[in-house]
Each structure stands twice: as C-alpha cells, then as structure tokens.
Amino acid sequence: MKNTNGEVWVFAEQEEGKLSDVPFELLGKARELADNLGVKVGAVLMGEGVEPLAKPLFEAGADVVHLIDDAALKVYRNKAYRHAMVELVKEVNPQIVIFGATHMGRDLGPSVASALRCGLTADCTDLQIGDYEDKKTKETFTNVLHQIRPAFGGNIIATIVNARNWPQMATVREGVMKPLARQEGRTGELVKHSAHLGGVEIPVEVVDIVRKVSSVNLKGSRIIVCGGAGVGSKENFRLLHDLAGVLGGAVGGSRAAVDLGYCEHERQIGQTGVTVRPALMISCGVSGAVQHLAGMQDSAKIIAINTDKDAPIFKVAHYGIVGDLNVVIPKLIKAIRAKGE
C-alpha cells in the first residue's frame, strides 16, 4: 500500500557496534529526497546494544531512528535481519528504502524486496524525485523515485521507476553520494521496535568472525595514481607505486589492469570497483572507458598520461600528457624529489 507521506529510509549498516561510512553517504541523499517530498528521513538501526549509534545518525541528517535491539541481531544473519526489516516496513510503511551496495546491503535488500513483492534497483549511482508517465496506460505518477544506474556494461545510463508497488527500494554504490556536514548536537526521535523473532528459526549460527584488514584505502586518499592496461605489466606498475610514494598517495587500477593481473582487485576504481573523489588523480595508461570514468570523474584535478592523444580519458582530464609513462613518470618523480630538497 502506497504512503505518499511515508518516510525516506536508510539502512544504517553496522558491524560489531560500529557504523560503516555508507549510512552517512546515504543520509545525505535521503535528506535531499525527503526535502523534495516534504517528509522525514528515517534510519533503521539493527543489532544488539547499538542504541548509542543513534546519536551520529541524527547528527548526519536522520530525523527518526528506528531501533531494533535484539540479541539475535548481534551479528548479521540474513533470515533474522530480513524478518525484522520486513515486519518494520509493514508497521511503519515508508515510501523509499535505501541500502548501501555493500556485501550486507546486496544480500539483505533483495531478500526484503522479494518478501514485500516490491522490486529493487541494484547498484544505483544516483537517485532523484520526478514524475513518470506509463506509456501504455497514459497514467501519470508524481513524485516517484527515479533510480539511476549504468546498464549494458556502462554503455548507457538507465532510469528505473517503481510507480506502483511500494516501498521503492534501491541499493546505492559506495562513494557516489556525498555525506552532509555533521551537525554536532542535532537530535531527533528515537523509536524502539520489536524484532518479531519469537518462534522464527534462524538456521545459521556464527561461530567465529575472521577479518582481513585491507591495506588499501582509496576512498580516503587525497592523491591517487591509477594505472590501466596501458601500463603494460605488473612490473611497470612499480613505477606507479614509486610516484604515489613521493606524493604520499595511494595506487589504484582500472578493471582492465586488475583483469590482467597488474594490481589487486581491492585497488579497482570504476563501476565494478570503488568510487573515489581525490584532490588529485593521476591516470597512467588508462584509456577512459565509461565504466572506469564512473568511479573517478568527480576528482578535483585529473592528470592523464597516455601515448594515445585521442584516448577518451583526455576529455575529462584537466591536464594531459601525451607520452610514454615509462619516460614521463621517472621525470615526475625526479622533479618532485628535487623540489622537496
């Protein structure tokens, strides 16, 4: 049942009592959508002993935090979280629910949508409020969610609308939404709900959690040196690490570079990797495929190095160097070191 006065919700993903960056990114977009609709922003917080996490959610833009605190939700298990989320949606009836396109969000979001029979658009890169006309029935829908995402390998941008079966649900790629500036001391309404898990059999037991901490933090890096297939080899990628080293930056790669084994998957930037907005992006041997540009084109300054003067990367670059990176990068390193002496 549609509720045009329903809240815009963000699933506030947390693990071991710590919120990830994703809810803060999503709350920024949710605030924009909710303001357009004239409704409240809600954050759904689930876990055990997680009530203190409501404070940063209020400060990041949430008007209401819907808290479900239950021992069965201490660690993420799909059936428990899915059941609790579905019952909460039925109880409160939001009009929009947004999840991060993380491992958890990609698992939970579709299962909730399936249970509610409402559909979901995955891996969105933008969300907007607008109107929609059904060309078959000529019926017009106002103030519906336009769910925007790359399709057909990133060659086109698709806008998907769920005009009839609400809530409107989407997962959003990490890094594409900008969080609001934190408002210290901002408060809101905390509403506690039951998990409704009595009598629900949860078939999975988590015995232990083993984490491998990534040594790469592309999203938090102000300077990124990114390599593509044009780098030529894994050995040549060493030059990129050397340049990043003198600049105090991180090394990333295009999907082509990752597929060729030049760098690790955790360094992949683009539609199927991470989205970054560094102060400086130096692209080396990157052709500039649409899939890659989707993950880095909002960089403050882009320098492109490529032997092909017609490479698409030069269309988005602020500065372009047509030349062999094996010649250009050592000269850059030498100049940077000389300036620091």
Side-chain angles (χ1 to χ4, degrees):
M1 179 179 177
K2 289 185 179 180
N3 179 12
T4 55
N5 294 316
E7 298 170 0
V8 176
W9 277 7
V10 166
F11 175 66
E13 180 176 324
Q14 63 82 26
E15 289 186 272
E16 298 182 346
K18 182 179 180 181
L19 291 164
S20 69
D21 293 335
V22 178
F24 301 107
E25 297 171 6
L26 299 184
L27 282 168
K29 173 54 70 171
R31 181 77 271 162
E32 174 190 322
L33 300 175
D35 288 347
N36 285 338
L37 294 167
V39 300
K40 293 181 178 180
V41 174
V44 178
L45 178 60
M46 303 168 67
E48 182 185 27
V50 293
E51 185 173 337
L53 299 181
K55 181 178 182 293
L57 294 172
F58 288 133
E59 294 177 342
D63 298 310
V64 184
V65 171
H66 296 281
L67 174 67
I68 305 179
D69 199 309
D70 193 287
L73 303 174
K74 182 175 182 179
V75 294
Y76 176 74
R77 291 176 292 178
N78 179 276
K79 187 169 183 179
Y81 270 64
R82 180 183 76 235
H83 186 86
M85 188 73 172
V86 168
E87 293 302 313
L88 182 62
V89 170
K90 291 178 179 178
E91 177 186 341
V92 183
N93 200 12
Q95 60 178 302
I96 295 171
V97 183
I98 310 169
F99 300 84
T102 60
H103 295 300
M104 189 185 297
R106 285 171 171 162
D107 183 59
L108 179 62
S111 62
V112 171
S114 177
L116 294 169
R117 298 182 178 274
C118 64
L120 175 144
T121 301
D123 286 355
C124 292
T125 55
D126 195 10
L127 300 170
Q128 300 292 337
I129 299 298
D131 299 337
Y132 168 73
E133 181 184 0
D134 188 318
K135 291 182 172 55
K136 290 184 179 180
T137 66
K138 303 302 180 182
E139 186 178 2
T140 299
F141 300 87
T142 60
N143 290 334
V144 294
L145 184 66
H146 289 204
Q147 300 154 68
I148 301 163
R149 58 152 296 160
F152 293 98
N155 293 309
I156 65 170
I157 299 297
T159 299
I160 300 168
V161 174
N162 171 17
R164 292 184 173 84
N165 301 316
W166 287 17
Q168 303 159 95
M169 296 179 63
T171 62
V172 175
R173 293 195 53 213
E174 293 183 74
V176 300
M177 305 300 182
K178 295 180 180 179
L180 298 172
R182 196 70 61 88
Q183 298 181 49
E184 294 291 338
R186 185 179 184 274
T187 61
E189 181 183 5
L190 179 67
V191 183
K192 298 180 180 181
H193 302 266
S194 168
H196 298 287
L197 293 174
V200 177
E201 183 180 352
I202 304 171
V204 176
E205 179 184 356
V206 178
V207 177
D208 194 11
I209 298 175
V210 179
R211 301 185 186 280
K212 179 182 178 183
V213 180
S214 175
S215 59
V216 180
N217 181 20
L218 292 174
K219 287 175 63 176
S221 299
R222 289 184 51 78
I223 299 174
I224 297 175
V225 181
C226 183
V231 173
S233 68
K234 187 173 183 178
E235 290 71 29
N236 285 351
F237 240 81
R238 187 67 254 167
L239 277 174
L240 276 62
H241 284 274
D242 292 342
L243 178 57
V246 297
L247 290 170
V251 174
S254 68
R255 177 171 179 172
V258 172
D259 288 346
L260 289 166
Y262 296 170
C263 65
E264 307 92 330
H265 182 268
E266 62 183 346
R267 297 186 184 276
Q268 185 173 318
I269 296 171
Q271 182 182 327
T272 52
V274 298
T275 299
V276 295
R277 294 188 180 90
L280 174 63
M281 165 72 74
I282 304 177
S283 292
C284 309
V286 175
S287 65
V290 173
Q291 297 93 323
H292 177 70
L293 296 181
M296 52 71 72
Q297 60 190 0
D298 289 334
S299 303
K301 282 289 181 288
I302 302 172
I303 300 174
I305 305 171
N306 203 297
T307 55
D308 179 7
K309 64 181 178 60
D310 297 318
I313 190 68
F314 287 125
K315 294 180 180 179
V316 300
H318 298 91
Y319 303 97
I321 301 174
V322 179
D324 185 345
L325 61 88
N326 293 290
V327 175
V328 174
I329 291 179
K331 289 183 177 180
L332 285 175
I333 293 173
K334 183 178 180 180
I336 293 167
R337 283 176 173 162
K339 188 175 180 180
E341 292 176 355

